[in-house]
């Protein structure tokens, strides 16, 4: 049970089929296995303990990922947008490390060995390489984004990743004409899972390292893309670009999966309208769960969009139902399991769930992992998220979910995007603040927006403070940096 087995199986089944393409670099599955084998030999000879990757997405990422697996070394993709000081702190935690990169770091570190990305892309060998079979070995180490405190090092073992792929992907299920467009950075779990799932399915991947809506649409046409993965902010820009250029041609596009952050319902409704023949899937997962644990599938999307039943219609705002191998529970502050439609913290359990950091193991002895996401499960098993558990605003002893207020404000035609945060208050402990991005050409009317919220929610959930901003701060994977919004109010 080693993730390199996935590549070996694909290379044996279809060695000449295209596997990865980025600009002028292109590899078949056979070539990818040869390059990964060469990389493994290079990694082993370095006498290092980790293989780090520092750079944008390219075919060098799967080469390094599978090469590290063959060499029995954890693969550690690093955020290339970090400063040298931040990178130095991370590298010091994985020394001695071989760093695959196209740049020199601005610091010295003991045990640091460099390998140029171009070396990996040019490597090729016919030498056989036996795949290690230790399922408990660490396959990937991902540093969390560190939104609170120093980044934690999440550990994903071969058994976790292998379990996720085997339970969610059918081997060689992709046709020869299928191609997936990805724009997720290599240091995000979605980037890792996209590589593994596409290789096992035998699907060609076209990589777009730096997302741009027009470039994305052009590649869909030029590369005959049949599927794509995007984060919510990307889909919003794609939909906006199509509004500008109605002649955008995407005849081959069959499916779009999205995840990584909360999808505003108006955005997915507009996407369903402009892509009437595309199957949409919402994938919810975490680094600590080896990617996806819940799916809102294409049939769910279309049923919800066309339904007159409010209960069915609201499913567009859910993340769907758990995968067959996954269990979901909602628990209160005491750890007590809650029933349908009760709000609490989301707990998850299954063979793909790690819940483990280098610093400590946080998954319970019974296998349950506390996600720190707040949400609920309805009577039909659909999971709804309302934000991070730590983001709940306590106003005068009443808990206010930011997501609940955000959803209401997004229904207003003048609101393009919104973030709700707690603002320190002497009277209430916390007051509600709203940072709002207005729709193009619309003037802000604070009282009209407050009235809109009051008409749908209790008056205690009406924002006391409203700021109109040009844009909200997001990570490149679509997660709202709520702490920065809070800082602006304070």
């Amino acid at each position: 049970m080693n993730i390199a087995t996935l590549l070996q199986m694909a290379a044996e089944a279809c060695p000449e089929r295209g596997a990865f393409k980025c600009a002028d670099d292109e590899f078949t599955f056979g070539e990818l296995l040869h390059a990964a084998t060469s990389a493994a030999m290079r990694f082993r000879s370095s006498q290092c303990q980790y293989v780090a990757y520092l750079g944008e997405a390219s075919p060098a990422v799967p080469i390094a990922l599978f090469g590290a697996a063959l060499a029995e070394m954890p693969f550690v993709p690093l955020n290339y947008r970090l400063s040298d000081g931040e990178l130095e702190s991370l590298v010091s935690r994985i020394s001695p490390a071989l760093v695959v990169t196209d740049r020199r770091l601005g610091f010295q570190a003991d045990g640091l060995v460099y390998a140029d990305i171009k070396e990996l892309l040019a490597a090729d060998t016919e030498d056989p390489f036996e795949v290690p079979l230790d399922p408990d070995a660490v396959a990937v180490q991902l540093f969390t984004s560190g939104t609170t405190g120093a980044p934690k090092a999440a550990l994903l073992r071969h058994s976790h990743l292998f379990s996720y792929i085997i339970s969610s992907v059918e081997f060689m299920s992709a046709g020869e004409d299928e191609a997936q467009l990805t724009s997720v950075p290599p240091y995000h779990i979605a980037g890792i899972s996209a590589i593994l799932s596409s290789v096992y399915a035998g699907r060609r991947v076209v990589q777009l390292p730096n997302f741009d809506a027009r470039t994305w649409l052009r590649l869909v046409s030029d590369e005959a893309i049949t599927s794509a993965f995007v984060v919510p902010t990307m889909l919003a820009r794609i939909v906006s670009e199509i509004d500008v250029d109605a002649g955008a041609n995407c005849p081959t596009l069959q499916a779009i999966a999205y995840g990584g952050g909360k999808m505003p319902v108006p955005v997915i409704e507009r996407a369903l309208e402009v892509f009437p023949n595309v199957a949409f899937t919402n994938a919810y997962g975490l680094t600590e769960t080896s990617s996806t644990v819940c799916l809102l599938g294409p049939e769910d999307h279309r049923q919800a969009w066309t339904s007159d039943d409010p209960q069915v219609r609201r499913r567009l705002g859910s993340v769907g139902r758990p995968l067959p191998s996954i269990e979901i529970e909602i628990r209160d502050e005491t750890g007590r399991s809650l029933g349908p439609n009760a709000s609490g913290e989301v707990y998850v359990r299954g063979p793909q769930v790690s819940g483990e950091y280098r610093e400590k193991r946080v998954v319970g002895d019974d296998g349950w992992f506390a996600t720190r996401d707040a949400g609920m499960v309805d009577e039909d098993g659909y999971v709804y998220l309302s934000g991070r558990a730590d983001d709940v605003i306590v106003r005068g002893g009443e808990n206010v979910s930011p997501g609940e207020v955000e959803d209401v404000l997004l229904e207003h035609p003048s609101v393009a995007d919104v973030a709700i945060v707690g603002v320190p208050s002497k009277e209430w402990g916390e007051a509600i603040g709203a940072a709002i991005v207005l729709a193009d050409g619309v003037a802000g009317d604070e009282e009209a927006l407050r009235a809109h919220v009051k008409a749908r929610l209790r008056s205690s959930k009406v924002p006391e403070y409203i700021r109109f901003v040009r844009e909200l701060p997001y990570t490149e994977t679509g997660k709202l940096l709520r702490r920065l919004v809070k800082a602006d109010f304070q």
Side-chain angles (χ1 to χ4, degrees):
M1 191 179 290
N2 183 296
I3 60 173
T5 305
L6 306 175
L7 175 57
Q8 282 198 331
M9 293 172 67
E12 289 175 4
C14 54
E16 302 302 321
R17 183 181 294 188
F20 285 85
K21 179 179 181 181
C22 184
D24 296 329
D25 295 315
E26 193 165 6
F27 285 77
T28 66
F29 285 105
E31 291 168 341
L32 190 67
L33 178 59
H34 294 156
T37 302
S38 294
M41 297 171 67
R42 168 80 170 88
F43 297 162
R44 276 190 176 178
S45 66
S46 71
Q47 303 300 309
C48 292
Q49 296 179 6
Y50 295 86
V51 174
Y53 183 89
L54 181 64
E56 296 179 344
S58 82
V61 180
I63 292 172
L65 170 64
F66 290 116
L70 287 169
E72 299 181 89
M73 300 164 67
F75 177 66
V76 188
L78 301 172
N79 186 343
Y80 57 86
R81 293 183 172 90
L82 297 178
S83 66
D84 277 345
E86 292 169 316
L87 287 170
E88 182 176 11
S89 175
L90 298 184
V91 169
S92 67
R93 295 164 62 181
I94 57 173
S95 181
L98 183 144
V99 181
V100 179
T101 184
D102 54 5
R103 78 192 217 206
R104 286 283 169 175
L105 299 176
F107 58 85
Q108 298 295 323
D110 293 337
L112 188 63
V113 178
Y114 287 100
D116 192 271
I117 286 177
K118 293 180 181 178
E119 291 180 27
L120 262 66
L121 294 174
D124 187 19
T125 182
E126 297 291 341
D127 295 340
F129 210 104
E130 186 174 343
V131 178
L133 296 177
D134 181 5
D136 294 325
V138 176
V140 176
Q141 177 177 304
L142 291 173
F143 286 108
T144 64
S145 56
T147 53
T148 56
K152 298 189 293 291
L155 304 182
L156 301 177
R157 301 183 184 275
H158 286 277
S159 59
H160 300 133
L161 294 166
F162 208 89
S163 295
Y164 167 62
I165 296 301
I166 296 300
S167 65
S168 61
V169 182
E170 183 180 347
F171 179 60
M172 296 305 296
S173 56
E176 289 189 34
D177 60 342
E178 290 190 35
Q180 177 171 302
L181 180 57
T182 64
S183 304
V184 185
Y187 52 83
H188 191 272
I189 183 57
I192 299 295
S193 64
I195 291 172
L196 299 179
S197 59
S198 294
V199 165
Y200 192 63
R203 182 180 297 107
R204 182 170 71 100
V205 174
V206 177
Q207 297 167 310
L208 177 60
N210 297 298
F211 175 80
D212 171 78
R214 289 195 175 190
T215 305
W216 188 93
L217 289 166
R218 178 180 57 78
L219 283 174
V220 168
S221 177
D222 293 350
E223 297 290 342
I225 297 298
T226 55
S227 62
F229 180 85
V230 295
V231 300
T233 52
M234 293 177 185
L235 187 58
R237 292 171 188 171
I238 291 166
V239 169
S240 176
E241 187 63 34
I242 289 179
D243 287 342
V244 174
D245 182 11
N249 188 19
C250 304
T252 60
L253 190 61
Q254 300 171 9
I256 294 178
Y258 61 90
K262 184 178 180 180
M263 174 64 77
V265 171
V267 172
I268 190 60
E269 287 178 333
R270 180 62 178 148
L272 286 161
E273 181 182 352
V274 299
F275 290 116
N277 300 315
V278 171
F280 284 88
T281 299
N282 186 357
Y284 163 63
L286 302 94
T287 299
E288 298 87 348
T289 63
S290 308
S291 194
T292 306
V293 292
C294 285
L295 285 177
L296 185 73
E299 186 175 347
D300 288 321
H301 277 82
R302 293 292 170 181
Q303 283 183 351
W305 187 46
T306 57
S307 178
D308 294 327
D309 183 344
Q311 181 73 11
V312 177
R313 181 82 183 185
R314 73 169 184 164
R315 290 175 188 166
L316 277 182
S318 82
V319 294
R321 291 185 280 198
L323 297 179
S325 60
I326 291 295
E327 297 175 79
I328 296 282
E329 271 192 5
I330 306 298
R331 300 183 182 180
D332 64 15
E333 297 89 343
T334 68
R336 180 174 61 93
S337 181
L338 301 175
N341 298 310
S343 297
E345 184 177 353
V346 180
Y347 279 69
V348 60
R349 180 168 67 175
Q352 70 188 62
V353 177
S354 164
E356 181 182 5
Y357 306 104
R358 260 184 81 181
E359 299 79 10
K360 63 178 179 178
R361 178 180 169 86
V362 294
V363 69
D365 292 337
D366 55 1
W368 285 103
F369 172 67
T371 67
R372 301 304 300 151
D373 282 334
M376 71 169 191
V377 179
D378 71 11
E379 57 271 19
D380 297 313
Y382 288 86
V383 180
Y384 294 79
L385 302 180
S386 54
R388 298 293 286 172
D390 297 338
D391 293 333
V392 171
I393 301 165
V394 183
R395 182 187 183 277
E398 178 184 1
N399 289 353
V400 178
S401 166
E404 181 182 18
V405 184
E406 288 166 353
D407 287 343
V408 169
L409 282 168
L410 283 168
E411 294 172 359
H412 197 280
S414 69
V415 177
D417 202 0
V418 59
I420 297 294
V421 296
V423 181
S425 167
K426 291 182 179 180
E427 181 180 3
W428 300 106
E430 280 188 299
I432 299 173
I436 295 174
V437 179
L438 293 169
D440 291 341
V442 176
D445 186 335
E446 292 188 20
E447 292 312 311
L449 292 172
R450 289 191 177 99
H452 177 78
V453 175
K454 188 175 182 179
R456 290 157 177 80
L457 301 173
R458 293 191 297 276
S459 59
S460 60
K461 297 184 179 182
V462 174
E464 285 98 326
Y465 302 99
I466 293 179
R467 294 182 66 245
F468 296 112
V469 297
R470 293 185 61 183
E471 61 181 5
L472 295 175
Y474 287 95
T475 68
E476 58 280 356
T477 54
K479 289 186 178 180
L480 175 68
L481 294 172
R482 209 176 289 271
R483 58 182 170 81
L484 297 184
V485 179
K486 272 191 172 186
D488 284 343
F489 276 98
Q490 293 171 356

